[in-house]
Amino acid sequence: MGNRSLAAGRRKVGHQAVPKWLGLAVAGLVAAGAPGCAEKTPKPDEPTPVRLVTWRPNQPEVWDEVFARFEARNPDLKVVREVGPHSTTAFHALLTQKLKNQSPDVDVFLMDVIWPPEFGSAGWALPLDERFPPEERAQFLPGAILANTYEGRLYGVPLYLASGMLYYRKDLLAQHGFEPPETWEEMVAQAAAIVARGTEAGEELHGFSGQFKQYEGLVCDMLEFILSRGGHAVDPRTGRSALAEEPALEAVRFVRDRIIGGAAPRGVLTYAEPESLDLFVQGKAVFHRNWPYAWEVANNPEKSRVEGRVGLSVLPRFPQGESTATLGGWQVGVSRFSRNADAAWRLVSYLTSFETQKLLAIRAGLAPTRRAVYEDPEVLAAQPHLGAMAEVFATAYPRPRTPVYPAVSNVLQRYFSTAIADRSSDLDHLAREASAEVDRILDLAR
């Protein structure tokens, strides 16, 4: 039977007479509220639930305190958390499936910095312009506001900022008379010298640890190499892929030949943030690339064997380029399908308030998006590196801003993973194929 016949069949069934007993049963269910079909209405003395879809945090106790404070200040509301996976890729899949289905079980959600164009274009995120006036936006770093803006409308409020940074063992560098490396070649050379001395002493030590598993973190790491060589994944001037151009090729070749299985163990091909940080805090790596949150972990005596011996610097560069960090961070959005947008906005406002950002900075080492938090004496006393790195946060480079970024990222993840895993790989061929695929996807959004 064709589609037209099926549709006609459905219409015919829909007009058949309903037996009297079935009609009475249905009426009874509607009156009583069929189990699982109707949303539970809170009793008058119960707080209204605000449903938040979030990821599994690195510091759950800090976030528990944030929500406890919110509920103490808003006794008429109760935060109901659905905790998704830590991986941004897996969390994106979970969240978008709910939003595609227009699920009422989502009021507020967290967004990676790359998602606002997608969520705004798809009609999943509620525009927040009227609730978030210009004078309030001015309290935030401009780059963070820009990341939440698509076609002139605002779809999220910045929660915290992140950018790639170089962590290093300052005690080991001092023993060899080294300063933090300015170039990638210098970092590799320093790592080789320090590891060689450690091997002679019978220590298990590697030169570098980063995120090279096939996921979004790999894209962030690889873009930092490419951008610091003067290249791009997508050229912002032309809107076309630049993966097959020499600066990008040279950067990828350097990672394949000098980092993987060289300065870093081959195991980093399976490392996301937790695994790569664990190698460093266990005292088994000289250099480590990560986000700001890693500072608190690396200097926590309950979690780290190298506390007090960790230094922080901007990422290295190639001689032809400048140090460049990938812009990261998370935003808070409101579902367009929320049945209680006012309550949802109250939660968004509190999560992105000065009070919450100060708490997250001090207790979790998360970089604020509000300007004033960087000047707070208590924040600077607890996290002195935040003041020193404020300029880096403000000038970190965003990933390609397009509503089809998830599809672009999927291509980049596959390309980078294949390219760096095998030293015999034909980079020119792989880059041309990936570049053509990226351009085809970008054309869909034009």
Side-chain angles (χ1 to χ4, degrees):
M1 182 182 293
N3 291 338
R4 183 174 299 175
S5 298
L6 282 172
R10 292 192 188 100
R11 288 194 295 271
K12 183 177 180 181
V13 171
H15 285 83
Q16 288 178 342
V18 178
K20 183 177 181 179
W21 65 267
L22 180 57
L24 292 172
V26 170
L29 285 173
V30 171
C37 296
E39 184 177 355
K40 180 183 176 183
T41 302
K43 296 178 181 179
D45 57 342
E46 288 183 348
T48 300
V50 182
R51 295 173 174 82
L52 169 68
V53 181
T54 179
W55 28 239
R56 179 171 54 84
N58 291 299
Q59 303 94 347
E61 67 284 354
V62 179
W63 290 97
D64 288 344
E65 182 174 344
V66 168
F67 295 117
R69 289 187 180 190
F70 171 77
E71 290 173 352
R73 288 160 176 74
N74 298 271
D76 60 320
L77 300 179
K78 173 70 176 177
V79 180
V80 179
R81 283 179 276 174
E82 179 174 349
V83 180
H86 183 87
S87 163
T88 54
T89 304
F91 180 67
H92 178 271
L94 169 73
L95 179 57
T96 55
Q97 186 61 43
K98 289 179 174 294
L99 294 174
K100 286 175 184 176
N101 292 336
Q102 302 185 13
S103 172
D105 293 334
V106 183
D107 294 309
V108 179
F109 51 82
L110 298 191
M111 287 188 289
D112 196 351
V113 71
I114 55 179
W115 298 350
E118 175 195 6
F119 284 33
S121 175
W124 298 333
L126 186 71
L128 302 176
D129 305 80
E130 294 182 1
R131 300 176 185 269
F132 193 45
E135 57 270 23
E136 180 63 15
R137 297 179 213 179
Q139 306 300 315
F140 291 76
L141 293 169
I145 294 296
L146 180 62
N148 284 277
T149 306
Y150 175 67
E151 293 190 344
R153 304 206 73 178
L154 195 77
Y155 292 98
V157 182
L159 176 60
Y160 67 85
L161 193 63
S163 64
M165 299 178 177
L166 184 71
Y167 294 81
Y168 61 90
R169 286 283 301 280
K170 61 183 181 182
D171 57 327
L172 295 179
L173 266 64
Q175 289 174 16
H176 291 75
F178 294 146
E179 295 293 329
E182 293 187 5
T183 68
W184 293 112
E185 284 280 4
E186 190 178 356
M187 186 198 77
V188 170
Q190 289 183 4
I194 295 172
V195 169
R197 183 74 63 84
T199 302
E200 293 175 1
E203 300 176 6
E204 180 187 353
L205 191 63
H206 301 282
F208 181 72
S209 177
Q211 300 83 46
F212 296 97
K213 177 182 179 179
Q214 185 175 319
Y215 78 120
E216 183 61 29
L218 171 65
V219 177
C220 296
D221 283 39
M222 294 302 298
L223 286 180
E224 288 165 349
F225 284 96
I226 291 173
L227 291 165
S228 67
R229 175 58 184 82
H232 290 279
V234 176
D235 191 325
R237 298 166 298 180
T238 65
R240 312 297 292 177
S241 172
L243 291 172
E245 297 179 7
E246 189 53 36
L249 284 171
E250 184 176 324
V252 174
R253 189 177 297 113
F254 180 87
V255 174
R256 182 193 67 178
D257 297 345
R258 306 294 302 280
I259 300 295
I260 307 300
R266 289 195 63 82
V268 297
L269 292 169
T270 66
Y271 287 3
E273 282 87 354
E275 297 84 4
S276 62
L277 177 57
D278 186 62
L279 190 73
F280 184 71
V281 300
Q282 292 299 316
K284 297 179 180 180
V286 181
F287 297 103
H288 173 55
R289 181 268 177 210
N290 212 320
W291 307 100
Y293 84 92
W295 177 264
E296 188 278 332
V297 179
N299 288 284
N300 186 331
E302 296 181 0
K303 301 176 182 178
S304 173
R305 296 180 180 177
V306 296
E307 74 279 3
R309 294 177 284 161
V310 178
L312 188 63
S313 177
V314 297
L315 289 166
R317 57 179 174 81
F318 288 95
Q320 306 92 331
E322 299 180 356
S323 172
T324 308
T326 300
L327 176 66
W330 287 83
Q331 338 299 312
V332 193
V334 175
S335 170
R336 186 183 285 271
F337 315 110
S338 170
R339 296 174 180 173
N340 198 347
D342 290 339
W345 176 249
R346 285 163 63 185
L347 177 58
V348 172
S349 297
Y350 184 76
L351 290 178
T352 58
S353 66
F354 180 92
E355 175 186 339
T356 302
Q357 292 205 13
K358 179 177 177 177
L359 174 65
L360 293 176
I362 293 174
R363 295 279 305 281
L366 299 179
T369 55
R370 285 183 174 269
R371 301 171 187 264
V373 185
Y374 286 97
E375 301 172 1
D376 186 87
E378 292 181 70
V379 171
L380 295 177
Q383 306 286 357
H385 68 289
L386 288 180
M389 301 303 291
E391 184 177 350
V392 176
F393 298 144
T395 59
Y397 201 86
R399 281 159 276 178
R401 295 179 65 244
T402 168
V404 293
Y405 179 79
V408 171
S409 175
N410 183 268
V411 177
L412 296 178
Q413 291 176 38
R414 288 186 281 109
Y415 163 60
F416 290 141
S417 182
T418 302
I420 67 176
D422 182 4
R423 288 192 178 181
S424 65
S425 60
D426 185 344
L427 284 185
D428 288 338
H429 175 72
L430 291 173
R432 286 195 300 271
E433 283 193 332
S435 189
E437 192 172 355
V438 167
D439 282 340
R440 284 195 294 270
I441 292 170
L442 291 173
D443 285 341
L444 297 176
R446 292 190 172 95

